[in-house]
Amino acid sequence: MDRIRIRGGRPLEGRIPISGAKNAALPLMIASLLTGETLELRNVPRLADVGLLLRILGNHGVDHAVTGKRPGQTSETGQTIRLNASSVIDTCAPYELVSRMRASFWVIAPLVARFGEARVSLPGGCAIGTRPVDLLITALERLGVAIEIDGGYVQARAAKGLRGGEIVFPKVTVSGTHVAVMAASLAEGETVIENAAREPEIVDLADCLNKMGARVSGAGTSRILVQGVSRLHGATHSVMPDRIETGTYAMAVAMTGGDVLLEETRPEYLQAALDVLGEVGVDIQSTNEGIRVRRDGARLRSVDVTTDPFPGFPTDLQAQFMALMTRAEGTSRIRETIFENRFMHVQELARFGAHIRLDGDSAIVEGVEALKGAPVMATDLRASVSLVIAGLAAEGETEIHRVYHLDRGFEALEAKLARCGAEIERLRAA
């Protein structure tokens, strides 16, 4: 397996282009199953998960074409993918594919909405909690879908099509909201989704669906209305910038010190995290080009945070923020409310000399003067990049193993950091 080697202690200076959001690109790609016409998606990040989802969609019979680089493009500026589901040959998503990426389970919504049936394996993915699919299944049942679970597969049937209805989620669920909006777009009549997720990625999906002829309103609020239509058509849509990548690089600059412009991103997508960085002692400035992040040599201040659904502090930035707090002055408490097993990075951060103890759903971080480079192992996507942040500031050399987790969610990470002065390289497997 590939490894990443970092020699820490260098401040970051320069510009980092922010890629298209993985968490927006995946549901947008899945939405291509809702129409027999071509959906063109621009600014799609080059990630392992995107490639895997293309394989899964291809298994259903979706044709795809990836546009080659135009003049001036680099491997960091996104790609254009054209998806055409006019000849879907199979409404079954097998275990060997779905088990590798949880989001692929969402194909159940457009398949049953457009074709009246779907058979999809129960999902796998990162080991950061059970993340059950019961809320997704309940949402489909509220739209008239008959569900049967057999042999690890969810069999969904709606021979006479979907019917609009009222979906009230008992807790906020991003995946459930994605599934409900996609399915309801082709349901007969109106669907009301209460306690809907408010994440920007939900808004991005709704915007794309509306370009395809759907009638979705209220996305970005807790109440979404969907007036079903009989068919959707093709469209062209650009994937929103990745707010988690934005926050990750902002925390990297906060950790190392320096001055970096995060290009083509928007502060409203992660204002809660930017506000916390301001409390920590980081200078955050919005510009016409993006977000400028600066920190001089002053010691970081410890700050308590609690993860919450949008617009709160994102769970996907919790590991990165914990790495930052390992060098803050004082003690911080980081409370995780979204996923129950999302502290697996704690033992790896401890290898740098970090002082962290767990207390139920919270991690208590006592800042230290310095971290020491060490061999460490990534356990999941966001945990892996927290180790990169720690390594950038640690004295000496850090080697990160199992970096395939990074490739799932961060495009050209080593190149972006190296161009800003980081001493970082990928060691390819023999």
Side-chain angles (χ1 to χ4, degrees):
M1 297 181 187
D2 289 359
R3 295 162 289 148
I4 286 178
R5 183 164 59 201
I6 302 171
R7 294 180 179 88
R10 294 174 176 265
L12 298 176
E13 306 275 351
R15 292 170 172 253
I16 294 179
I18 298 301
S19 300
K22 183 194 86 156
N23 289 345
L26 299 182
L28 290 168
M29 292 169 65
I30 289 170
S32 67
L33 288 165
L34 288 165
T35 178
E37 299 181 18
T38 298
L39 176 62
E40 179 178 286
L41 297 176
R42 299 176 178 175
N43 197 36
V44 180
R46 295 168 171 84
L47 300 172
D49 276 7
V50 169
L52 177 57
L53 185 54
L54 285 176
R55 285 185 55 200
I56 292 169
L57 294 174
N59 187 68
H60 293 298
V62 178
D63 289 328
H64 75 271
V66 180
T67 301
K69 279 187 270 198
R70 297 186 297 275
Q73 275 194 327
T74 70
S75 62
E76 303 167 27
T77 55
Q79 58 190 335
T80 295
I81 299 178
R82 295 180 178 87
L83 299 156
N84 186 286
S86 59
S87 302
V88 170
I89 57 174
D90 192 350
T91 58
C92 177
Y95 170 77
E96 56 267 26
L97 293 178
V98 178
S99 62
R100 296 174 59 189
M101 183 175 63
R102 292 191 60 84
S104 59
F105 181 80
W106 302 348
V107 299
I108 193 170
L111 288 174
V112 73
R114 184 172 163 212
F115 301 105
E117 65 175 14
R119 187 169 184 265
V120 180
S121 170
L122 289 167
C126 282
I128 58 171
T130 54
R131 295 198 283 180
V133 296
D134 56 332
L135 298 180
L136 287 66
I137 291 173
T138 300
L140 293 175
E141 289 177 329
R142 296 292 294 172
L143 299 178
V145 179
I147 299 288
E148 180 182 351
I149 299 178
D150 179 49
Y153 280 77
V154 178
Q155 180 73 50
R157 293 186 177 89
K160 297 182 179 180
L162 276 59
R163 303 185 306 273
E166 185 178 26
I167 300 169
V168 182
F169 288 117
K171 63 179 181 179
V172 174
T173 163
V174 174
S175 57
T177 305
H178 277 311
V179 163
V181 170
M182 282 192 278
S185 66
L186 289 181
E188 182 180 354
E190 183 178 79
T191 297
V192 180
I193 306 169
E194 300 280 6
N195 200 28
R198 299 162 58 188
E199 270 70 6
E201 293 82 5
I202 300 292
V203 179
D204 208 33
L205 174 63
D207 288 346
C208 180
L209 291 174
N210 287 338
K211 291 176 184 178
M212 297 166 68
R215 298 170 63 187
V216 182
S217 61
T221 75
S222 58
R223 189 173 192 265
I224 298 177
L225 299 179
V226 185
Q227 188 67 47
V229 298
S230 59
R231 64 181 297 273
L232 296 177
H233 52 72
T236 298
H237 182 78
S238 184
V239 179
M240 63 173 275
D242 196 320
R243 62 194 175 102
I244 304 305
E245 185 187 38
T246 302
T248 297
Y249 287 125
M251 290 180 192
V253 178
M255 186 66 147
T256 65
D259 185 345
V260 173
L261 178 66
L262 306 177
E263 298 176 321
E264 299 180 12
T265 188
R266 295 168 59 178
E268 61 266 30
Y269 290 157
L270 71 160
Q271 194 60 56
L274 295 179
D275 289 345
V276 168
L277 287 178
E279 294 179 50
V280 165
V282 182
D283 181 26
I284 305 290
Q285 180 183 0
S286 297
T287 76
N288 292 334
E289 297 180 278
I291 300 172
R292 187 178 181 185
V293 183
R294 291 180 291 180
R295 185 177 76 80
D296 58 20
R299 183 86 184 267
L300 297 163
R301 295 188 291 269
S302 59
V303 175
D304 296 345
V305 299
T306 298
T307 63
D308 275 311
F310 188 86
F313 190 94
T315 180
D316 281 352
L317 287 175
Q318 177 256 106
Q320 297 91 309
F321 185 72
M322 187 181 298
L324 182 63
M325 287 296 93
T326 62
R327 294 194 65 223
E329 186 173 7
T331 300
S332 59
R333 174 182 286 267
I334 301 171
R335 182 169 175 251
E336 174 59 60
T337 69
I338 309 298
F339 296 124
E340 69 271 23
N341 292 338
R342 209 164 204 179
F343 285 143
M344 292 187 292
H345 45 281
V346 168
Q347 61 185 3
E348 296 302 306
L349 288 173
R351 294 177 61 81
F352 290 96
H355 294 172
I356 308 170
R357 63 180 176 86
L358 297 181
D359 179 18
D361 63 359
S362 298
I364 314 301
V365 185
E366 182 184 342
V368 297
E369 286 284 345
L371 300 176
K372 304 286 186 180
V376 291
M377 184 174 295
T379 55
D380 62 64
L381 170 55
R382 306 309 175 186
S384 60
V385 82
S386 75
L387 304 180
V388 172
I389 291 174
L392 289 171
E395 299 174 356
E397 184 174 289
T398 294
E399 196 166 281
I400 303 171
H401 298 258
R402 293 175 65 182
V403 297
Y404 60 84
H405 288 294
L406 275 172
D407 298 332
R408 292 184 49 224
F410 290 93
E411 182 178 35
L413 177 132
E414 306 100 278
K416 291 180 179 182
L417 288 172
R419 196 172 57 248
C420 289
E423 193 170 345
I424 181 172
E425 62 178 331
R426 178 174 292 241
L427 306 175
R428 298 289 181 182

